Amino acid sequence: EAQVTQNPRYLITVTGKKLTVTCSQNMNHEYMSWYRQDPGLGLRQIYYSMNVEVTDKGDVPEGYKVSRKEKRNFPLILESPSPNQTSLYFCASSHPARGDTQYFGPGTRLTVL
Amino acid sequence: AQKITQTQPGMFVQEKEAVTLDCTYDTSDPSYGLFWYKQPSSGEMIFLIYQGSYDQQNATEGRYSLNFQKARKSANLVISASQLGDSAMYFCAMREGPILTGGGNKLTFGTGTQLKVEL
């Protein structure tokens, strides 16, 4: 089954404790992206990657890092999480066919205390 | 200015009725794409339908259709024969510019419309 997976789905952590949210897709997509969703703000892009070893900042990159060492994986790293990073996070991947439709993972609900 | 505007924060519809969710967009690029996503209470984002700016006909996918009015810059989602399972948040999104060779145009999202289907 074609899909984007994320882990963990839920995470409660404390300020300053480094964490990684994994994202993997099995569709051989070149493009992958991370979004955060906050009430009243819709989805905002954090980082994206056009291909292996090619990443760039989105609209809200502060406090986040990413890497793309393999085509299928695109982890999101929070080196020193803060409470304002409490949010719902989505990973997505896309292909130029069908208008470059982005397919989303199930989401990771992160709470930083 | 907002690039995607969804003016209905919440809507109610009776089961089996049709409902229209509004979306207006703002872009000066002649090439763009418009998407609708559904987000049920479980949280996942489900792709529903896509309309390209050069597509001559309105997109349809099962009970979903996109009423694309280019001159008015609107891309309303029409759900026919509403079902209880349609209760969810619905997001309109836009890709500006032509599709890149490897994909990867940024999507800009609206703030969503919460739809509640009633018996």
Side-chain angles (χ1 to χ4, degrees):
Chain A
E1 179 191 355
Q3 60 182 349
V4 179
T5 57
Q6 292 178 230
N7 282 291
R9 296 289 312 280
Y10 303 91
L11 180 60
I12 301 174
T13 189
V14 295
T15 299
K17 186 175 180 182
K18 181 180 178 179
L19 66 93
T20 299
V21 183
T22 64
C23 173
S24 183
Q25 51 94 5
N26 62 2
M27 296 172 279
N28 201 36
H29 288 171
E30 292 182 353
Y31 177 83
M32 298 183 74
S33 179
W34 277 101
Y35 294 86
R36 61 177 289 174
Q37 182 181 16
D38 302 290
L41 297 177
L43 277 79
R44 296 176 293 168
Q45 190 181 54
I46 303 170
Y47 267 96
Y48 64 95
S49 170
M50 303 293 283
N51 212 327
V52 176
E53 303 291 0
V54 181
T55 64
D56 206 349
K57 297 176 181 178
D59 295 322
V60 289
E62 294 77 21
Y64 303 95
K65 282 177 57 177
V66 293
S67 68
R68 187 92 181 272
K69 300 190 187 310
E70 306 167 279
K71 198 171 187 178
R72 63 183 293 128
N73 296 324
F74 189 44
L76 179 70
I77 303 155
L78 285 73
E79 295 264 358
S80 183
S82 62
N84 65 11
Q85 292 178 299
T86 292
S87 188
L88 178 58
Y89 291 86
F90 288 101
C91 179
S93 71
S94 73
H95 189 276
R98 291 210 70 181
D100 198 26
T101 300
Q102 294 196 23
Y103 294 94
F104 286 80
T108 295
R109 196 169 290 278
L110 172 65
T111 301
V112 183
L113 301 173
Chain B
Q2 294 282 352
K3 287 189 177 284
I4 295 287
T5 303
Q6 295 181 254
T7 57
Q8 307 152 313
M11 287 193 71
F12 291 88
V13 65
Q14 294 229 304
E15 196 181 22
K16 300 178 186 174
E17 301 274 306
V19 62
T20 297
L21 306 184
D22 294 341
C23 173
T24 58
Y25 59 92
D26 182 26
T27 181
S28 57
D29 203 307
S31 179
Y32 53 90
L34 298 156
F35 304 80
W36 277 92
Y37 287 86
K38 172 184 178 182
Q39 186 177 39
S41 58
S42 52
E44 68 267 32
M45 293 287 287
I46 302 166
F47 165 70
L48 295 178
I49 196 165
Y50 164 75
Q51 178 86 41
S53 60
Y54 295 118
D55 293 344
Q56 295 296 312
Q57 296 192 322
N58 287 346
T60 60
E61 293 277 356
R63 292 187 300 112
Y64 305 107
S65 60
L66 200 152
N67 184 1
F68 181 45
Q69 298 188 43
K70 199 168 183 176
R72 298 178 65 180
K73 293 190 175 179
S74 74
N76 298 339
L77 177 70
V78 181
I79 306 174
S80 63
S82 297
Q83 303 171 355
L84 294 177
D86 293 333
S87 294
M89 180 74 89
Y90 288 82
F91 290 96
C92 180
M94 176 173 65
R95 178 207 81 235
E96 283 187 277
I99 300 167
L100 301 175
T101 302
N105 299 73
K106 186 182 112 173
L107 282 185
T108 301
F109 285 82
T111 52
T113 296
Q114 182 73 48
L115 176 67
K116 172 82 169 162
V117 180
E118 301 174 313
L119 287 170

Coordinates of all heavy atoms in Angstrom, one line a residue, chain A residues 88 90 109, chain B residues 37-46 85-91 114:
Chain A
L88 N 0.6 20.0 15.9 CA 0.4 18.8 15.1 C 1.3 18.9 13.9 O 1.2 19.8 13.1 CB -1.1 18.6 14.7 CG -1.5 17.5 13.9 CD1 -1.2 16.1 14.6 CD2 -3.0 17.5 13.6
F90 N 2.8 17.3 10.3 CA 2.6 16.4 9.2 C 3.8 16.4 8.3 O 4.4 17.4 7.9 CB 1.4 16.9 8.3 CG 0.1 16.7 9.0 CD1 -0.5 17.8 9.6 CD2 -0.6 15.5 9.0 CE1 -1.8 17.6 10.2 CE2 -1.8 15.3 9.6 CZ -2.4 16.4 10.2
R109 N 1.3 14.3 17.0 CA 0.9 15.3 18.0 C 1.9 15.5 19.0 O 2.1 14.5 19.8 CB -0.5 14.9 18.6 CG -1.2 16.1 19.2 CD -2.6 15.7 19.6 NE -3.5 15.6 18.4 CZ -4.1 16.6 17.8 NH1 -3.8 17.9 18.2 NH2 -4.9 16.4 16.7
Chain B
Y37 N -8.6 19.1 0.8 CA -8.2 18.0 1.7 C -9.3 18.0 2.8 O -9.9 19.0 3.2 CB -6.9 18.3 2.4 CG -5.7 18.1 1.5 CD1 -5.2 19.1 0.7 CD2 -5.0 16.9 1.4 CE1 -4.1 18.9 -0.2 CE2 -3.9 16.7 0.6 CZ -3.5 17.7 -0.2 OH -2.4 17.5 -1.0
K38 N -9.5 16.8 3.3 CA -10.4 16.5 4.4 C -9.6 16.1 5.6 O -8.7 15.2 5.5 CB -11.4 15.4 4.0 CG -12.3 14.9 5.1 CD -13.1 13.7 4.6 CE -14.0 13.1 5.7 NZ -14.8 12.0 5.2
Q39 N -10.0 16.6 6.8 CA -9.3 16.2 8.0 C -10.4 15.8 9.0 O -11.0 16.7 9.7 CB -8.4 17.4 8.6 CG -7.6 16.9 9.8 CD -6.7 18.0 10.3 OE1 -7.1 19.2 10.4 NE2 -5.5 17.7 10.7
P40 N -10.6 14.5 9.2 CA -11.6 14.1 10.2 C -11.0 14.3 11.6 O -9.8 14.7 11.7 CB -11.7 12.6 9.9 CG -10.5 12.2 9.0 CD -10.0 13.4 8.4
S41 N -11.8 14.0 12.6 CA -11.4 14.2 14.0 C -10.2 13.4 14.4 O -9.5 13.8 15.3 CB -12.6 14.0 14.9 OG -13.0 12.7 14.8
S42 N -9.9 12.3 13.6 CA -8.8 11.5 13.9 C -7.5 12.2 13.5 O -6.4 11.8 13.9 CB -8.9 10.1 13.2 OG -9.2 10.4 11.9
G43 N -7.6 13.2 12.7 CA -6.4 14.1 12.5 C -5.7 13.9 11.1 O -5.0 14.9 10.7
E44 N -5.9 12.8 10.4 CA -5.1 12.7 9.2 C -5.6 13.7 8.1 O -6.8 14.1 8.2 CB -5.2 11.3 8.7 CG -6.5 10.8 8.2 CD -7.3 10.1 9.3 OE1 -7.2 10.5 10.5 OE2 -8.1 9.2 8.9
M45 N -4.8 13.9 7.1 CA -5.1 14.8 6.0 C -5.4 13.9 4.8 O -4.4 13.3 4.3 CB -4.0 15.8 5.7 CG -3.8 16.8 6.8 SD -5.1 18.0 6.8 CE -4.7 19.0 5.4
I46 N -6.6 14.0 4.3 CA -7.0 13.1 3.2 C -7.2 13.9 1.9 O -8.0 14.8 1.9 CB -8.2 12.3 3.5 CG1 -8.0 11.5 4.8 CG2 -8.7 11.4 2.3 CD1 -9.3 11.0 5.4
G85 N -20.3 10.5 7.7 CA -18.8 10.4 7.7 C -18.1 11.6 7.0 O -16.9 11.7 7.0
D86 N -18.9 12.4 6.4 CA -18.3 13.6 5.8 C -18.1 14.7 6.9 O -17.4 15.7 6.6 CB -19.3 14.2 4.8 CG -19.5 13.3 3.6 OD1 -18.5 12.5 3.3 OD2 -20.5 13.4 2.9
S87 N -18.5 14.5 8.1 CA -18.3 15.5 9.1 C -16.8 15.6 9.4 O -16.1 14.6 9.7 CB -19.0 15.1 10.4 OG -20.4 15.2 10.3
A88 N -16.2 16.7 9.2 CA -14.7 16.9 9.2 C -14.4 18.3 9.0 O -15.3 19.2 8.7 CB -14.0 16.0 8.2
M89 N -13.1 18.6 9.1 CA -12.6 19.9 8.7 C -12.1 19.8 7.2 O -11.5 18.8 6.9 CB -11.4 20.3 9.6 CG -10.8 21.7 9.2 SD -11.8 23.1 9.8 CE -11.2 23.3 11.4
Y90 N -12.4 20.8 6.4 CA -12.0 20.8 5.0 C -11.1 22.0 4.7 O -11.4 23.1 5.1 CB -13.3 20.8 4.1 CG -14.1 19.5 4.2 CD1 -14.9 19.3 5.2 CD2 -13.9 18.6 3.2 CE1 -15.6 18.1 5.3 CE2 -14.6 17.4 3.2 CZ -15.5 17.2 4.3 OH -16.2 16.0 4.3
F91 N -10.0 21.7 4.1 CA -9.0 22.7 3.7 C -8.9 22.8 2.2 O -8.8 21.8 1.5 CB -7.6 22.3 4.3 CG -7.5 22.4 5.8 CD1 -7.7 21.3 6.6 CD2 -7.3 23.7 6.4 CE1 -7.6 21.4 8.0 CE2 -7.2 23.7 7.8 CZ -7.4 22.6 8.6
Q114 N -15.2 23.8 9.1 CA -15.6 22.7 9.9 C -17.0 22.3 9.4 O -18.0 23.1 9.6 CB -15.6 23.0 11.4 CG -16.0 21.8 12.2 CD -15.0 20.7 12.3 OE1 -13.8 21.0 12.6 NE2 -15.4 19.5 12.1

